[in-house]
């Protein structure tokens, strides 16, 4: 069964219970979700849902590394992620799919750190005329994962320029606060 608005609202509510200080920031998407308009589809406007993955591994020296991508369309470094597909049945599964598609990481080497999202961000996305998309909003629901030995494989060149492991301090500068949550995500 495809991901429903109630699945998305449940993930959002669980996240807000864990991070109540973000409730105000997420009030608008919560209101939109109550309208039941099929926000798993990238064609639903003014907002739709995307899924992201923060993959953490030990750097072998007591620290952590984070796998990030060089996003082709936006020209920035960020966590793997993207639009939901009709075949996705869970948000966390969509995050793993995006992670493996974009970075070539073997999904069998990835373990969820928690079933609750590590971050949820609501942000405006610029128009992409080549995809026939006007300015709109993404509700990006991201999950933290751990790995002992995952390596970058064949990247999805249509979406990313590259994928690489970044030391935690560098990843935090590039991506922001969501990185720290991934490293300390509760089980």
């Amino acid at each position: 069964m495809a991901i429903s608005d109630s699945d998305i609202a449940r993930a959002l509510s669980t996240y807000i219970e864990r991070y109540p200080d973000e409730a105000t920031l997420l009030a608008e998407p919560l209101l939109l979700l109550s309208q039941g308009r099929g926000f798993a589809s990238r064609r639903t406007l003014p907002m739709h849902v995307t899924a992201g993955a923060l993959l953490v591994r030990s750097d072998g020296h007591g620290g952590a590394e984070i796998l990030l991508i060089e996003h082709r369309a936006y020209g920035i470094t960020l966590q793997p992620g993207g639009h939901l597909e009709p075949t996705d049945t869970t948000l966390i599964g969509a995050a793993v799919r995006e992670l493996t598609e974009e970075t070539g990481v073997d999904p069998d080497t990835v373990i969820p750190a928690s079933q609750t999202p590590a971050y949820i961000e609501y942000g405006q996305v610029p128009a992409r005329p080549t995809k026939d998309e006007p300015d709109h909003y993404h509700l990006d629901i991201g999950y933290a994962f751990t790995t002992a030995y995952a390596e970058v494989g064949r990247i999805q060149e249509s979406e990313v320029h590259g994928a690489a492991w970044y030391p935690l301090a560098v990843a935090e500068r590039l991506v922001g606060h969501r990185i720290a949550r991934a490293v300390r995500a509760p089980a």
Side-chain angles (χ1 to χ4, degrees):
M1 181 187 304
I3 297 169
S4 69
D5 288 348
S6 62
D7 295 330
I8 298 163
R10 193 169 25 263
L12 188 53
S13 295
T14 301
Y15 177 81
I16 290 171
E17 285 174 19
R18 179 163 289 159
Y19 304 107
D21 56 315
E22 295 185 32
T24 302
L25 299 171
L26 298 170
E28 186 173 346
L30 200 52
L31 178 64
L32 287 169
L33 282 165
S34 71
Q35 298 172 4
R37 295 183 36 215
F39 291 101
S41 170
R42 77 179 298 155
R43 292 291 169 206
T44 303
L45 298 173
M47 172 191 89
H48 49 259
V49 174
T50 57
L54 292 169
L55 182 59
V56 181
R57 76 173 183 187
S58 168
D59 67 4
H61 306 287
E65 297 176 307
I66 311 293
L67 183 59
L68 300 176
I69 59 157
E70 301 293 326
H71 196 277
R72 185 174 292 279
Y74 299 134
I76 58 174
T77 302
L78 65 146
Q79 71 281 359
H83 291 94
L84 304 181
E85 299 290 338
T87 55
D88 291 328
T89 58
T90 65
L91 291 164
I92 199 167
V96 171
R97 178 187 51 74
E98 284 290 338
L99 171 68
T100 59
E101 282 177 1
E102 291 183 348
T103 68
V105 165
D106 179 351
D108 292 335
T109 65
V110 174
I111 301 165
S114 174
Q115 294 297 311
T116 300
Y119 72 88
I120 296 181
E121 294 181 341
Y122 181 62
Q124 190 168 11
V125 178
R128 290 180 64 190
T130 58
K131 297 229 180 202
D132 194 30
E133 292 180 348
D135 287 343
H136 61 281
Y137 290 86
H138 279 176
L139 181 63
D140 188 36
I141 301 176
Y143 292 87
F145 301 91
T146 61
T147 185
Y149 51 88
E151 293 294 336
V152 174
R154 183 182 193 119
I155 64 169
Q156 186 180 31
E157 293 179 2
S158 63
E159 298 282 330
V160 302
H161 287 291
W165 292 97
Y166 288 79
L168 178 59
V170 174
E172 284 182 306
R173 278 198 315 275
L174 292 169
V175 179
H177 74 279
R178 64 184 88 119
I179 296 296
R181 280 196 188 154
V183 173
R184 64 177 194 273

